[in-house]
């Protein structure tokens, strides 16, 4: 049991040092938030958001580019810029308070009505074509009228023959889907 505890302690220590090393090597970007502390002058302590232009400023430091630098480089730059205001170089500590929110992958929403395997709202990546959208919503039920599929885009209605796409006589399968498109898959008639 004690060997396991020692092993577990070693793993946790390694993970902690790995995390610290990654944080020190992380290149800052707009949207990141820094905590800056100057031990010799608490009035300079603050939380700073890196704006879109990537530049930050503290009283007595002027503005400088923080985006693309590591925590250690920011700390060094602040120490050297503040040094003229103190008898001895100040003790500056910089840490990451928060990271910029990651941008969500853009998606477009289309709607499938009727004899699709899955009906309702379907989210697609931008640039997805009709054939890929059909694959995404799972194709058609056995009762789908695949020669009379409708693509409704705003006030426009386009009739799509899925069989013609499959046999290569129609290029409609390459049509790019747009936000809000509605694919209507009617039920086939008795002898269709």
């Amino acid at each position: 049991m004690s060997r396991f505890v020692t092993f577990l302690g070693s793993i946790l220590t390694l993970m902690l040092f790995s995390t610290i090393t990654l944080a020190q090597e992380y290149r800052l970007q707009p949207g990141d938030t820094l905590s800056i502390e100057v031990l010799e002058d608490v009035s300079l302590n603050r939380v700073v958001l890196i704006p879109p232009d990537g530049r930050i400023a503290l009283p007595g430091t002027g503005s400088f580019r923080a985006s693309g630098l590591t925590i250690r480089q920011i700390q060094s730059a602040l120490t050297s810029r503040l040094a003229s205001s103190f008898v001895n170089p100040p003790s500056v500590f910089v840490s990451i308070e928060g990271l910029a929110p990651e941008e969500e992958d853009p998606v477009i929403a289309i709607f499938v009505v009727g004899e699709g395997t899955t009906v309702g709202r379907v989210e697609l990546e931008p640039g997805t074509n009709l054939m890929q959208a059909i694959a995404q919503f799972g194709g058609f039920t056995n009762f789908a009228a695949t020669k009379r599929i409708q693509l409704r885009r705003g006030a426009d209605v386009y009739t799509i023959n899925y069989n013609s796409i499959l046999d290569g006589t129609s290029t409609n399968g390459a049509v790019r889907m747009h936000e809000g498109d509605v694919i209507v898959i009617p039920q086939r008639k008795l002898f269709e």
Side-chain angles (χ1 to χ4, degrees):
M1 180 70 172
S2 67
R3 294 179 88 182
F4 176 73
V5 172
T6 304
F7 174 72
L8 187 58
S10 298
I11 295 294
L12 291 173
T13 303
L14 181 61
M15 288 173 54
L16 175 65
F17 285 121
S18 297
T19 303
I20 291 170
T21 301
L22 287 174
Q24 289 175 346
E25 294 175 6
Y26 174 74
R27 301 267 175 199
L28 297 163
Q29 61 185 352
D32 290 344
T33 307
L34 303 177
S35 175
I36 300 172
E37 297 180 47
V38 181
L39 292 183
E40 291 79 7
D41 186 355
V42 294
S43 70
L44 295 174
N45 294 355
R46 60 198 64 222
V47 174
V48 178
L49 173 69
I50 300 176
D53 69 357
R55 303 181 69 78
I56 63 171
L58 287 178
T61 65
S63 174
F64 67 97
R65 182 161 202 76
S67 182
L69 300 179
T70 64
I71 293 293
R72 190 172 295 160
Q73 290 171 321
I74 298 283
Q75 198 165 300
S76 176
L78 288 171
T79 301
S80 64
R81 288 170 175 265
L82 288 169
S84 63
S85 301
F86 295 91
V87 174
N88 293 317
S91 301
V92 178
F93 295 98
V94 179
S95 61
I96 298 174
E97 184 85 10
L99 297 176
E102 292 188 29
E103 293 182 23
E104 293 183 24
D105 291 335
V107 293
I108 60 170
I110 67 163
F111 300 88
V112 179
V113 179
E115 296 299 320
T117 303
T118 304
V119 295
R121 178 185 166 110
V122 178
E123 291 186 349
L124 306 171
E125 293 180 20
T128 300
N129 65 34
L130 177 62
M131 284 297 287
Q132 293 166 333
I134 291 170
Q136 184 108 9
F137 67 74
F140 312 107
T141 68
N142 293 334
F143 302 103
T146 56
K147 293 181 181 179
R148 297 185 290 119
I149 298 170
Q150 293 179 356
L151 171 61
R152 294 177 178 234
R153 182 170 289 160
D156 299 322
V157 179
Y158 305 96
T159 301
I160 309 283
N161 183 336
Y162 182 69
N163 297 337
S164 296
I165 294 171
L166 291 180
D167 67 20
T169 58
S170 172
T171 59
N172 287 337
V175 170
R176 300 278 177 219
M177 302 306 296
H178 293 168
E179 179 73 29
D181 281 354
V182 178
I183 299 174
V184 178
I185 308 159
Q187 187 175 25
R188 64 184 159 102
K189 297 178 181 170
L190 186 58
F191 295 106
E192 190 173 3

